Amino acid sequence: MSRDLPVADRRQVRRAALRLVRRDVPGFATTLLLNSLAAAAALVSPWLLGRIVDAISAGGTVDLLAAVAVGAALAQLVLSRYAEKVGTRFSERVQERIRAELLDRVLALPSATVEHVRTGDLTARGTTDVAAVGRTLRDAAPAILVSSLQALFLVVAVFLVDPVLGACGLLALAGIAAASRWYLRRARPAYLEEGDARSDVAEQLAANAAGARTIEALGLQAKRARAAERAIERSRDTQLRTLFLRSVLWPAVEVSSLLPPVLVLLAGGVFLDRGQVTLGVVVTCVLYLRQLAQPIETILIWLEQLQSSGASFARIEGLATTPRSPQPGAEPEGDRIEARGVHFAYEGGDDVVADVDLTVRPGERLAVVGPSGAGKSTLGKLLAGIDRPRLGTVTVGSAPVADLSPAQLREHVVLVTQEQHLFLGTVRDNLLLADPTAGDDRLSEALAAVGADWVTSLDSPCSGADLGPDRVQQLALARVVLADPHTVILDEATAMLDPRTARRAERSLAAVLEGRTVIAIAHRLHTARDADRVVVMDGGRVVEVGAHDELVAAGGVYEALWRSWQGSRSGDLVEDLGVGG
């Protein structure tokens, strides 16, 4: 499975934008109408000024024309203000829908996708990209809409006043058209690359923060710093690339925007001398073209923001093209879990699980052990339906585990790892995620089952930074008790607890989960000693299966692990044998 989330193409982005507009047609239509009226009102004053010039030249009165010009200016002001208000509300509603759709899509992602994609990429799309689109909808989109209508109306007005002078003015805008075309052909891929580089930086920061203790313990500070520096260097290079594009666009636009009025003045002077136009016509055309410079400048000012947010919107909409979690299907017939001829490999690698055949009987307590890198955690994910086998099948009640919907899967199999998340809120809030209908007594019983006697009140606020990893893990185990599945897979779920607390929590869970299937990926071998059967993995294969005493007596891989674990014990401190895999 690829670690990169997809990016929507131009066609998908256009369809998504149209879909958002169709969901609020009245708001969009009102915004468009008010901005059109404001743009039309802006045309009146320059036209009247031209008539005023001609009237003064002819010795006529201009009082009425001046009053109408002032009225048109006031009408433009009122319409523009109201159009801005309506447009901002429309933009905020669209932004709210984008955020809601993004959240729905992220929550609908299969667990395997969330497990394998870059955390920084997903985080950047939900934060930086959404914020960029929000700024565009709030600021750039209304400004571009208004300016586009103004520019269109001004060009049409110039041609209506005098087609020849209008053609001269339009010809002078060719430099802006050429520069914009050059920029637009290169901007989208450049901004997509910039967004991907930002995701790399976020990924490095998240990985370094989450693994700070491991980095320090293994002396990897220099290596991780170099990786972060490479990501930052790439991000800097992509930003310099987009800066170069802007540095070419802006000078060309600045120079080209001065040409239309100059060219019309020169041509108008010639035509006026020949008597082909009046002075008022020339003044009106020049004023229109001078007025045209402002909306063109506004459009180009926001063009960079539009390209950047367009790339962000493409990244957001890319989530719509990812496979969704399976829909509810046929219910499994029974609780027996079976793996037959299972092979699994991560993208571009060799099999990390190979030729595994295993049957887990309902109500059985099974321990999976082995040295580091043996494939224990990968097997746990396959049995939990997070990953899909490359070859072979994993079923629960004859139904493929990976084809069950999230709701079905939670009713049958729950995977608990040492990496748990604690949401901001109270203890009660975090526990009710597993069972929103649970009362206080049941919540307290679940906490007692995992030995969380430190909780004095269900309404106590909690955060991971305040509680520490051991207590966060206890709350996660309490959620498992509340979820009440028939099979629980514990992938080193008590690794963050001290040995005494871990043994107490495991004994409590054993009592609570009596009659249910428990698959424990064990890093402390006393878990294996208490299991009904032990599965020993080595090199991605199941090499031994049997009860604890049988395997110790057999003198194989398990016996060596047991002897090493026993010899490394010192009081209550135990070296972590077989972590990972």
Side-chain angles (χ1 to χ4, degrees):
M1 176 176 293
S2 174
R3 286 177 54 81
D4 294 321
L5 289 167
V7 175
D9 58 29
R10 295 178 186 272
R11 182 180 179 185
Q12 291 168 331
V13 168
R14 286 194 296 268
R15 284 204 304 263
L18 290 174
R19 184 187 71 247
L20 290 171
V21 170
R22 284 197 297 267
R23 293 179 64 180
D24 193 358
V25 172
F28 179 77
T30 303
T31 301
L32 186 63
L33 175 61
L34 289 173
N35 281 302
S36 298
L37 292 175
L43 301 177
V44 176
S45 294
W47 181 80
L48 288 175
L49 186 57
R51 304 286 75 73
I52 289 173
V53 169
D54 286 340
I56 293 175
S57 300
T61 60
V62 297
D63 294 346
L64 179 60
L65 293 175
V68 175
V70 172
L74 291 175
Q76 180 197 3
L77 177 63
V78 173
L79 288 169
S80 297
R81 296 284 292 180
Y82 193 56
E84 181 180 2
K85 178 181 178 181
V86 173
T88 299
R89 289 182 175 179
F90 169 75
S91 299
E92 290 295 334
R93 289 194 297 271
V94 173
Q95 184 179 351
E96 186 274 333
R97 293 188 184 99
I98 291 174
R99 291 182 183 276
E101 287 183 355
L102 175 70
L103 180 60
D104 290 340
R105 289 167 181 170
V106 171
L107 293 177
L109 290 175
S111 299
T113 301
V114 178
E115 285 282 333
H116 295 300
V117 299
R118 293 178 297 163
T119 304
D121 191 9
L122 195 57
T123 301
R125 295 187 189 218
T127 54
T128 307
D129 289 335
V130 170
V133 174
R135 286 193 300 270
T136 298
L137 287 172
R138 184 179 60 251
D139 302 324
I144 290 175
L145 177 62
V146 172
S147 298
S148 298
L149 290 172
Q150 289 177 344
L152 176 63
F153 285 15
L154 286 168
V155 169
V156 172
V158 171
F159 272 92
L160 290 177
V161 172
D162 190 280
V164 177
L165 292 179
C168 292
L170 198 61
L171 179 64
L173 294 175
I176 294 179
S180 299
R181 178 178 174 81
W182 178 90
Y183 173 80
L184 292 174
R185 290 176 62 184
R186 293 162 175 81
R188 175 180 161 85
Y191 280 108
L192 285 174
E193 182 71 14
E194 183 179 333
D196 187 66
R198 284 199 306 265
S199 296
D200 278 344
V201 173
E203 173 73 14
Q204 292 295 329
L205 293 175
N208 289 343
R213 293 183 179 180
T214 302
I215 293 171
E216 184 177 4
L218 299 179
L220 299 176
Q221 294 94 327
K223 182 177 180 180
R224 295 303 303 171
R226 287 194 298 270
E229 288 170 359
R230 287 194 296 270
I232 293 171
E233 182 73 14
R234 180 184 172 225
S235 179
R236 184 183 73 88
D237 290 343
T238 59
Q239 292 181 52
L240 288 176
R241 170 62 177 167
T242 57
L243 178 61
F244 166 74
L245 296 179
R246 295 192 296 272
S247 68
V248 173
L249 174 68
W250 283 111
V253 169
E254 288 292 333
V255 173
S256 299
S257 63
L258 299 175
L259 296 180
V262 174
L263 187 59
V264 167
L265 276 174
L266 293 175
V270 174
F271 296 151
L272 181 62
D273 187 56
R274 295 177 178 177
Q276 294 176 325
V277 295
T278 65
L279 179 61
V281 169
V282 176
V283 170
T284 299
C285 289
V286 170
L287 289 176
Y288 277 150
L289 291 173
R290 283 299 301 157
Q291 202 172 351
L292 181 62
Q294 189 273 330
I296 289 178
E297 182 178 351
T298 300
I299 292 172
L300 294 173
I301 285 174
W302 288 110
L303 187 61
E304 183 268 336
Q305 173 70 26
L306 192 64
Q307 290 300 305
S308 177
S309 62
S312 295
F313 189 50
R315 285 161 52 81
I316 293 171
E317 282 300 311
L319 291 175
T321 64
T322 57
R324 297 297 186 93
S325 297
Q327 295 300 310
E331 285 292 333
E333 299 176 357
D335 300 337
R336 180 184 295 269
I337 296 177
E338 293 182 320
R340 292 288 177 264
V342 171
H343 292 252
F344 180 82
Y346 294 102
E347 184 180 16
D350 298 328
D351 283 347
V352 293
V353 170
D355 199 25
V356 170
D357 290 295
L358 181 65
T359 298
V360 185
R361 297 183 292 268
E364 182 178 25
R365 187 175 182 89
L366 186 75
V368 182
V369 303
S372 179
K376 306 184 299 295
S377 294
T378 303
L379 178 61
K381 291 178 181 179
L382 290 167
L383 296 177
I386 292 178
D387 286 326
R388 186 182 295 272
R390 183 178 67 83
L391 295 174
T393 60
V394 178
T395 60
V396 55
S398 300
V401 178
D403 290 340
L404 297 179
S405 69
Q408 289 177 307
L409 195 58
R410 283 192 295 270
E411 294 176 1
H412 294 277
V413 183
V414 168
L415 172 66
V416 183
T417 71
Q418 60 181 319
E419 299 175 0
Q420 296 299 328
H421 183 72
L422 191 65
F423 293 89
L424 290 176
T426 64
V427 173
R428 185 198 312 277
D429 295 333
N430 277 274
L431 294 181
L432 288 176
L433 292 171
D435 183 5
T437 65
D440 288 357
D441 290 343
R442 186 147 183 261
L443 298 180
S444 299
E445 291 172 0
L447 291 170
V450 298
D453 49 12
W454 48 270
V455 177
T456 57
S457 171
L458 292 173
D459 295 317
S460 299
C462 56
S463 69
D466 296 335
L467 295 183
D470 56 337
R471 292 184 174 181
V472 171
Q473 193 71 345
Q474 284 180 306
L475 291 179
L477 294 175
R479 286 199 289 256
V480 174
V481 174
L482 292 167
D484 197 25
H486 73 66
T487 298
V488 177
I489 301 176
L490 305 173
D491 184 0
E492 300 179 1
T494 58
M496 293 296 184
L497 308 182
D498 63 81
R500 290 181 179 177
T501 304
R503 285 195 292 270
R504 184 167 65 250
E506 287 166 356
R507 285 195 298 269
S508 300
L509 275 173
V512 172
L513 300 175
E514 184 69 30
R516 293 175 175 80
T517 306
V518 179
I519 302 173
I521 298 174
H523 64 298
R524 293 185 175 100
L525 293 191
H526 67 78
T527 302
R529 180 183 57 196
D530 298 334
D532 299 327
R533 282 193 305 157
V534 179
V535 173
V536 184
M537 295 192 69
D538 192 11
R541 298 176 181 272
V542 174
V543 294
E544 295 177 349
V545 179
H548 166 78
D549 293 337
E550 295 174 357
L551 295 178
V552 170
V557 175
Y558 181 76
E559 188 274 336
L561 287 172
W562 178 258
R563 179 162 33 83
S564 177
W565 182 76
Q566 287 285 87
S568 66
R569 298 177 64 187
S570 177
D572 289 324
L573 299 178
V574 182
E575 183 179 356
D576 188 3
L577 297 175
V579 174

